Amino acid sequence: MNLKQQQYINGEWVDAQSGKKRSIINPYNQEVIAEVPEGDEKDARAAIAAAREAFDEGDWSWTPASERGELVTKIGHLIERDQEELAYLESLDTGKTMEESRGDMEDIAGVFRYYGELADKEGGELIDAPVKDSISKVVREPVGVCGQITPWNYPLLQASWKLAPALAAGNTLVMKPSEITPLTTIKVFELMEEVGIPASVVNLVLGSGATVGAELSSHDDVDLISFTGGIATGKKIMQSASGNVKNLALELGGKNPNIIFADADFETAVDQALNGVFFHAGQICSAGTRLIVDEAIHDDFVNALVERVKNFKLGSGFEQDTQMGPLISAEHLSKVEAYVEAGVKEGASLVVGGRRPEDPELQQGFFYLPTIFTNCTTDMTVVQEEGFGPVITVEKFRSEKEAVTLANDSIYGLAGGVWTMDIAKAERCAARMRMGTVWINDFNLYFPHAPWGGFKQSGIGRELGRPGLEEYTETKHIFHNLKPEPIHWF
């Protein structure tokens, strides 16, 4: 494997100060695919110190935005150049199919290009002032040192949503990828070194959330924490970040409703309902795991889902006909199993799946069959909690109002979908759904120009779009009196 397999701190590739290593495994067969440093608080502190000095004493934040943008754009070009290698590493590390990983790399390159082009387009604005002969302007400046913590399900995609805007805005940073899927993040740090991002502007520390993540969250020299992950960890980060009142950008997952009205395009809705959950084995924060189906078509819709699910091909992400790969780890597989067991105990009807596959070729991997529950109600654990696996729950509704009420009955508010051919009904539902993104006659579509984030306990702030850049800036008002005169008050 042509990969450094080290941390990147203060412009150097280094091992952990403790000398500890972590084995990275392929979730398809549990083979060890890499040995990387297991960093801890000491490594995090060294990286924070480097980023702090680079911001306070270096030239990066003062570099013209157009020059920063050119470098960020070049990273996108190198990702395109190395797309096949990056996709291979991502599939090896996460178990997802090569087709999925190639698509991720195309999206990631697009994110870097977008923010590279946007870097010099946010120059501030002049505003009117109630004082004659004055200049009043509002400018945006970089926040400072940014701690960035990314999840295991979309390692490099989520990293790109943080790296690209942070660099375009002129910040320095320390990134901690998930300890179980760090390979493509290591590779993109190699690419950032190749394009000439100044030493210590970007720093990479490998290790657990309990050590490296906690240090980033609590350290007073970190000005912003951007985290993508679960609610429990997000709440801990909020508490830790209160020490120096850090800026926060949190994406904390979702339990996303997908409303299917009787007048929807039936075949397309079935197809997209399946894709909205079983793509990457349901390990997607925006997965449409709550199907809310019109009573008039409920039985036919469920039957269509079940028949399609029975024919899914599970297997290695490197086999061309594989439709769904494994879950990420033994620990996560156990969590999904417990989640399904809770659904059965609470009275939901298990109509397909609900167990590990029997295929001998899949026994070494962390596979779980695509699963569908019916007769679900909003008081059930499987309806309310984010299982983060290949599991669909199905609820019935009789009216538009009931559908929206069910959809909003959640502590989450990340995303949701509405399927209907009635334009007015679709727009009414979208307006009333308390979510950061609502898709109409589509699901799980995103692109760099559109902001991403959630309502309620799905998080704070936005990634992507112009708001994604603004997260990495502070707003400053500068008032310049061109003809100062005494006030004669005293």
Side-chain angles (χ1 to χ4, degrees), residues 140-152:
R140 286 190 173 274
E141 298 181 354
V143 171
V145 175
C146 302
Q148 302 180 324
I149 305 172
T150 57
W152 49 257

Side-chain angles (χ1 to χ4, degrees), residues 16 40 72 228 232 429 456:
D40 58 22
V72 173
T228 301
C429 289
K456 298 187 278 187

Side-chain angles (χ1 to χ4, degrees), residues 60 63-78 109 111-121 164 167-170 191-192 194-198:
W60 180 247
T63 300
S66 59
E67 293 183 22
R68 294 198 304 264
E70 287 176 6
L71 290 176
V72 173
T73 299
K74 285 180 181 178
I75 298 168
H77 293 330
L78 293 188
V111 170
F112 278 99
R113 287 196 305 268
Y114 172 74
Y115 283 111
E117 294 167 1
L118 190 61
D120 63 353
K121 306 300 188 297
L167 292 173
L191 299 184
M192 289 191 290
E194 181 178 341
V195 303
I197 301 294

Side-chain angles (χ1 to χ4, degrees), residues 389-401:
V391 181
I392 290 176
T393 64
V394 186
E395 302 162 73
K396 291 181 184 179
F397 72 88
R398 296 179 179 82
S399 68
E400 177 184 326
K401 182 178 180 181

Side-chain angles (χ1 to χ4, degrees), residues 15-188:
D15 290 325
Q17 293 185 38
S18 66
K20 292 181 179 179
K21 296 277 189 177
R22 173 184 288 268
S23 297
I24 305 301
I25 66 169
N26 180 351
Y28 169 68
N29 56 17
Q30 301 189 54
E31 288 184 359
V32 175
I33 55 178
E35 295 282 346
V36 302
E38 179 73 2
D40 58 22
E41 296 92 342
K42 291 181 180 179
D43 301 278
R45 290 171 195 148
I48 292 167
R52 184 79 264 166
E53 183 175 359
F55 185 79
D56 293 340
E57 307 297 336
D59 297 327
W60 180 247
S61 63
W62 299 101
T63 300
S66 59
E67 293 183 22
R68 294 198 304 264
E70 287 176 6
L71 290 176
V72 173
T73 299
K74 285 180 181 178
I75 298 168
H77 293 330
L78 293 188
I79 289 169
E80 288 181 320
R81 182 196 70 185
D82 296 345
Q83 176 183 353
E84 199 66 13
E85 179 185 358
L86 284 162
Y88 173 81
L89 287 173
E90 198 82 318
S91 289
L92 195 64
D93 210 357
T94 65
K96 66 175 63 176
T97 68
M98 277 292 287
E99 183 179 358
E100 291 177 63
S101 293
R102 289 189 183 104
D104 287 349
M105 298 312 138
E106 292 174 4
D107 293 340
I108 291 161
V111 170
F112 278 99
R113 287 196 305 268
Y114 172 74
Y115 283 111
E117 294 167 1
L118 190 61
D120 63 353
K121 306 300 188 297
E122 297 293 308
E125 61 176 335
L126 293 175
I127 60 174
D128 289 333
V131 177
K132 186 179 179 181
D133 297 321
S134 66
I135 298 173
S136 186
K137 57 185 177 181
V138 177
V139 298
R140 286 190 173 274
E141 298 181 354
V143 171
V145 175
C146 302
Q148 302 180 324
I149 305 172
T150 57
W152 49 257
N153 60 329
Y154 281 87
L156 191 52
L157 185 68
Q158 292 293 334
S160 73
W161 290 13
K162 302 179 191 301
L163 290 169
L167 292 173
N171 297 281
T172 62
L173 61 92
V174 180
M175 173 163 280
K176 190 209 86 68
S178 168
E179 58 268 33
I180 59 177
T181 56
L183 301 186
T184 49
T185 305
I186 296 173
K187 179 63 180 179
V188 88

